[in-house]
């Protein structure tokens, strides 16, 4: 034990040991780990151990001093107003900085003044950009009334508004604007002319003669009639080349590249925003004890200024603690299950999941039948009354909305019998709802394409059913347009005719049923699924309807105010809390799933299905993708060679291998960081034990000192007024006093 003591250097430079520090739990744990690593063998050379310990101590002191110097340098460069000091100390620091600046030469003074000016300019620009944020005051109001959990939903809604605005800017700048300005900029447009074939016939859908008012409403809601031959849909863009005085603009190439650009931009922006939430979710993945401590000591949201919101926050924290305790109880219950109980619960889950699959299959088949029936009814020339025609137009949207309304209620009932933990119940139910909402769009598109690519005489003459769908891209765009409009109508109708009357009934009716029913809860996940569903439709429909991002921007703009009024006037926050840190990552994760689903139909329509020969910019190509190789073939030979190399299999394999190596490196680095975090947590826990041990020794020393030196009470009081901290108490108390109790048992420390 002599060579394994805690050493320090006294004033004379000799290396000595401190018996008190040898008894610290952290040091005893270190000795235990050393013995387990060396197999219990003792050190052969105690002097070498002493030198090593002293050198390690000096290294630790040097490291600490370097950290202190770095911290001091950061404090020096920070603005004085940001320092946590009193006004007198800030004034003194300002005088010291002015004196130091006066002692510097002109070059250093100019460099420091320039650095401060640029930093102040950066702060001013950041403040100015923050003040220009959309709905800044409204979001601060919501944050103050309901906390950061509900704030995350409205911030996510603002993000979608900005994303759709940028997507529309891309489509407008590179697709719409060249066609609009070409007549005013001496530009000639080369249109895709009709070759007289059966595939190039595109009958007009505009109504002729006397048009009744409700027919205009039908056209406005369905995208047909006068709207079909406008900038809103794909079929209007028949231009092939736009010849300006000094340049020729290739509209089909621009149309395809903008489609790729907005999908790629959405991916990059979502991944960038989700990285922060993913880091926070990793940080929060701590043990249960730290989770309890965080909820009790750091769980309060100090942004709340409303009394009712404060009570709701208190109840939500209480619910979180109850949920954590319930999860611990369920874990213990799972651990104590017998084999018979496990077989019973697994069999029950299997049966319930088969029922869920059957429900989903029934919903998808209903959507398929509704889509086919709606398409056949629209092809019928004999029109019935206004209401029936409108129902035929919106039949797929109605079925999808009903399925999205019924299935979450059914899933919430089924999950109660599957015996999961409360947190997993929420996540698993949301996964089922996400699958239902997003897959329903895929079933709708599959139903449309089954009609588009199906002909009476196989194979199709034009590659698609030109008799029913002379411009099938416009028809798909109209379906996406109707889904967007109907989704907005449903949100407005639910707010006005469900949530508001429910609030009035609960407020003014004193019956027990109304009190049991209660106010409508503002469920964050359900509202997020609504807007993610709408955004997925927007991503899919932008290729077929270039103006759809502008419609979605306006739609989300109004939804923000509708949801704000509904939250303040009609609803109350959910009893089940949803953290802002985890919710942001969840929102973006679901949005990323929606983007992945949206890419599939766009890629299939671009690369696999034949383009319409009667409309659109790709009339001269078999598929939309052919415009890209055709444009590459017109480039210089050197650039063509470079592009062919980048698209070759050899480059793809090399890039894949490099990506895998980088991924393995990042995974290894993440594992090392996790180990370091675990060691730091163990160190924090050990420091707490050390403090507890030192406090016990100090109390024992004070008791013994009071018994041994009864006349030194006044001296101890005077010493309390000016405390001094030392690592060794040998100056005040005898050394044997700290060895009165044996060291703690090392086997209990890890």
């Amino acid at each position: 034990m002599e060579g394994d003591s805690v050493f320090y250097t006294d004033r004379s430079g000799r290396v000595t040991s401190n018996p008190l520090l040898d008894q610290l739990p952290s040091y005893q744990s270190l000795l235990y780990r050393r013995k387990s690593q060396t197999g219990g063998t003792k050190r052969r050379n105690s002097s070498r151990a002493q030198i090593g310990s002293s050198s390690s101590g000096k290294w630790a002191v040097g490291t600490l001093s370097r950290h202190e110097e770095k911290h001091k340098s950061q404090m020096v460069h920070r603005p004085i107003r940001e320092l946590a000091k009193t006004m007198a100390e800030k004034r003194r620091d300002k005088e010291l900085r002015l004196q130091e600046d006066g002692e510097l030469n002109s070059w250093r003074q100019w460099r420091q003044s320039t650095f401060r000016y640029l930093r102040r300019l950066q702060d001013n620009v950041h403040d100015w950009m923050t003040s220009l944020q959309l709905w800044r005051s409204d979001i601060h109001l919501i944050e103050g009334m309901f906390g950061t959990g509900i704030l995350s939903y409205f911030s996510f809604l603002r993000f979608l508004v900005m994303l759709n605005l940028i997507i529309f800017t891309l489509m407008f700048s590179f697709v719409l604007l060249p066609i609009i300005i070409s007549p005013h900029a001496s530009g000639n447009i080369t249109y895709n002319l009709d070759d007289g074939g059966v595939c190039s016939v595109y009958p007009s859908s505009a109504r002729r003669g006397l048009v009744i008012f409700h027919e205009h409403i039908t056209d406005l809601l369905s995208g047909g009639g006068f709207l079909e031959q406008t900038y809103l849909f794909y079929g209007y863009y028949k231009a092939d080349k736009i010849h300006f005085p000094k340049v020729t603009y290739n509209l089909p190439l621009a149309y395809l590249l903008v489609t790729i650009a907005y999908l790629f931009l959405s991916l990059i922006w979502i991944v960038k925003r989700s990285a922060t939430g993913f880091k926070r979710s990793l940080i929060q993945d701590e043990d249960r004890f730290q989770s309890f401590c965080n909820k009790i000591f750091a769980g309060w949201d100090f942004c709340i200024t409303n009394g009712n919101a404060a009570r709701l926050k208190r109840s939500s924290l209480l619910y979180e603690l109850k949920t954590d305790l319930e999860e611990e109880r369920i874990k213990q219950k799972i651990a104590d299950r017998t084999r018979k109980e496990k077989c019973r619960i697994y069999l029950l889950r299997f049966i319930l999941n088969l029922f869920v699959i059957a429900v989903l299959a029934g919903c998808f088949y209903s959507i398929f039948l509704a889509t086919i029936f709606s398409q056949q009814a629209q092809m019928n020339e004999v029109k019935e009354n206004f209401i029936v025609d409108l129902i035929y137009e919106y039949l797929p949207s109605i079925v999808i909305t009903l399925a999205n309304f019924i299935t979450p209620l059914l899933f919430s009932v089924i999950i109660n019998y599957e015996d999961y933990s409360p947190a997993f119940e929420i996540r698993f139910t949301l996964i089922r709802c996400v699958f239902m909402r997003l897959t329903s769009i895929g079933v709708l598109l599959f139903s449309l394409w089954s009609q588009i690519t199906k002909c009476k005489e196989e194979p199709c003459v034009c590659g698609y059913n030109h008799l029913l769908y002379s411009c099938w891209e416009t028809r798909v765009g109209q379906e996406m347009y109707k889904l967007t409009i109907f989704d907005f109508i449903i949100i407005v109708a639910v707010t006005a005719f469900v949530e508001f009357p429910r609030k009035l009934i609960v407020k003014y009716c004193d019956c027990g049923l109304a009190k049991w029913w209660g106010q409508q809860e503002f469920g964050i996940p359900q509202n997020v699924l609504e807007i993610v569903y709408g955004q997925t439709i927007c991503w899919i429909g932008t290729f077929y309807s270039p103006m759809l991002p502008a419609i979605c921007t306006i739609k989300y703009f109004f939804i923000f105010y509708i949801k704000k009024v509904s939250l303040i006037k009609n609803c109350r926050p959910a009893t089940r809390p949803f953290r802002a840190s985890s919710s942001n990552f969840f929102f973006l994760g679901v949005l990323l799933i929606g983007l992945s689903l949206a890419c599939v139909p766009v890629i299939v329509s671009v690369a696999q299905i034949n383009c319409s020969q009667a409309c659109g910019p790709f009339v001269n190509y078999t598929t939309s993708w052919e415009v890209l190789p055709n444009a590459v073939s017109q480039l210089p030979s050197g650039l063509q060679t470079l592009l062919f190399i980048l698209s070759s299999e050899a480059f793809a394999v090399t890039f894949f291998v490099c990506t895998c190596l980088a991924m393995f490196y990042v995974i290894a680095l993440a594992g090392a960081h996790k180990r370091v975090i675990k060691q730091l947590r163990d160190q924090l826990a050990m420091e707490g034990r050390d403090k507890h041990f030192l406090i016990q020794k100090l109390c024992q020393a004070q008791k013994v000192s009071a018994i041994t030196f009864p006349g030194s009470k006044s001296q101890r009081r005077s010493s309390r007024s000016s405390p001094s901290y030392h690592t060794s108490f040998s100056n005040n108390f005898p050394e044997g006093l700290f060895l009165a109790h044996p060291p703690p048992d090392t086997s209990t420390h890890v």
Side-chain angles (χ1 to χ4, degrees), residues 6-17 50 54 58:
V6 178
F7 299 96
Y8 69 96
T9 305
D10 59 4
R11 294 181 180 179
S12 61
R14 294 180 299 174
V15 178
T16 60
S17 64
Q50 293 180 5
S54 61
K58 291 179 181 178

Side-chain angles (χ1 to χ4, degrees), residues 146 499-500 503 519 564-571:
F146 302 101
E499 295 176 354
F500 181 66
K503 167 67 181 301
Q519 272 185 276
K564 175 191 171 185
V565 173
S566 176
L567 173 64
I568 296 175
K569 302 296 183 180
N570 299 336
C571 301

Side-chain angles (χ1 to χ4, degrees), residues 193-203 461-462 464 466-467 470 613-614:
L193 299 178
D194 186 359
D195 59 357
V198 294
C199 299
S200 59
V201 177
Y202 186 22
V461 177
C462 304
Y464 60 94
H466 66 283
L467 297 176
S470 55
Q613 303 301 310

Side-chain angles (χ1 to χ4, degrees), residues 150-433:
I150 294 179
L151 165 71
S152 60
Y153 165 76
F154 289 93
S155 299
F156 180 67
L157 194 57
R158 178 173 61 184
F159 163 69
L160 290 183
V161 169
M162 300 305 299
L163 178 63
N164 286 317
L165 184 61
I166 292 177
I167 293 175
F168 170 70
T169 303
L170 287 174
M171 296 298 295
F172 179 80
S173 302
F174 295 99
V175 177
L176 277 77
L177 190 61
I179 297 178
I180 294 174
I181 67 173
S182 59
H184 308 284
S186 301
N188 296 321
I189 301 178
T190 302
Y191 290 96
N192 297 310
L193 299 178
D194 186 359
D195 59 357
V198 294
C199 299
S200 59
V201 177
Y202 186 22
S204 176
S205 62
R207 303 181 188 273
R208 301 180 183 276
L210 183 62
V211 180
I212 307 175
F213 176 72
H214 68 75
E215 293 180 348
H216 286 297
I217 298 177
T218 304
D219 295 341
L220 186 64
L221 294 177
S222 64
F226 70 94
L227 283 179
E228 186 171 339
Q229 300 290 335
T230 59
Y231 289 103
L232 184 59
F233 295 109
Y234 168 94
Y236 180 80
Y237 303 90
K238 300 178 182 179
D240 182 42
K241 299 287 191 306
I242 302 177
H243 302 279
F244 292 102
K246 294 183 179 181
V247 66
T248 299
Y249 193 78
N250 191 342
L251 185 65
L253 180 62
Y255 201 103
L256 180 63
L257 292 181
V258 168
T259 302
I260 299 173
Y262 82 75
L263 292 174
F264 186 72
L265 173 66
S266 302
L267 175 65
I268 296 298
W269 202 352
I270 293 172
V271 170
K272 182 178 180 299
R273 285 180 65 93
S274 62
T276 305
F278 183 67
K279 292 176 183 178
R280 291 178 181 175
S281 65
L282 286 179
I283 292 173
Q284 290 178 352
D285 188 18
E286 69 271 345
D287 57 14
R288 187 59 60 191
F289 177 74
Q290 289 180 337
S291 176
F292 285 136
C293 291
N294 289 338
K295 287 183 177 64
I296 293 173
F297 296 107
W300 187 254
D301 190 352
F302 288 94
C303 297
I304 296 175
T305 57
N306 184 269
N308 188 28
R311 289 190 294 272
L312 289 172
K313 182 64 178 177
R314 178 180 174 276
S315 62
S316 67
L317 286 174
L318 182 62
Y319 172 79
E320 286 190 13
L321 293 173
K322 289 181 179 179
T323 302
D324 292 339
L325 294 174
E326 181 68 16
E327 288 183 359
E328 291 294 326
R329 187 190 66 80
I330 291 177
K331 287 180 181 178
Q332 185 64 33
K333 179 182 177 182
I334 292 173
D336 296 338
R337 277 176 185 165
T338 61
R339 183 174 299 178
K340 182 179 179 180
E341 291 177 345
K342 289 181 180 179
C343 293
R344 183 188 63 82
I345 192 64
Y346 290 151
L347 179 62
L348 180 61
R349 289 176 182 176
F350 178 74
I351 295 173
L352 290 176
N353 280 286
L354 287 180
F355 179 71
V356 169
I357 293 173
V359 170
L360 292 175
C363 293
F364 296 153
Y365 186 66
S366 301
I367 295 170
F368 178 78
L369 293 180
T371 304
I372 294 177
F373 181 78
S374 175
Q375 296 298 310
Q376 293 175 353
Q378 293 178 46
M379 295 300 173
N380 189 8
E381 296 182 358
V382 179
K383 299 295 183 181
E384 300 185 20
N385 58 53
F386 166 66
I387 302 297
V388 175
D389 292 341
L390 201 59
I391 291 176
Y392 286 160
E393 291 276 354
Y394 276 91
L395 187 59
S397 303
I398 294 172
V399 174
I400 291 175
T401 302
L402 288 176
N404 292 334
F405 176 75
I406 294 173
T407 51
L409 300 177
L410 190 61
F411 293 156
S412 62
V413 174
I414 292 174
I415 199 70
N416 295 326
Y417 297 97
E418 294 182 288
D419 200 11
Y420 292 118
S421 63
F424 187 77
E425 283 183 3
I426 297 175
R427 289 195 293 266
F428 197 42
T429 305
L430 289 177
I431 289 172
R432 287 172 173 171
C433 295

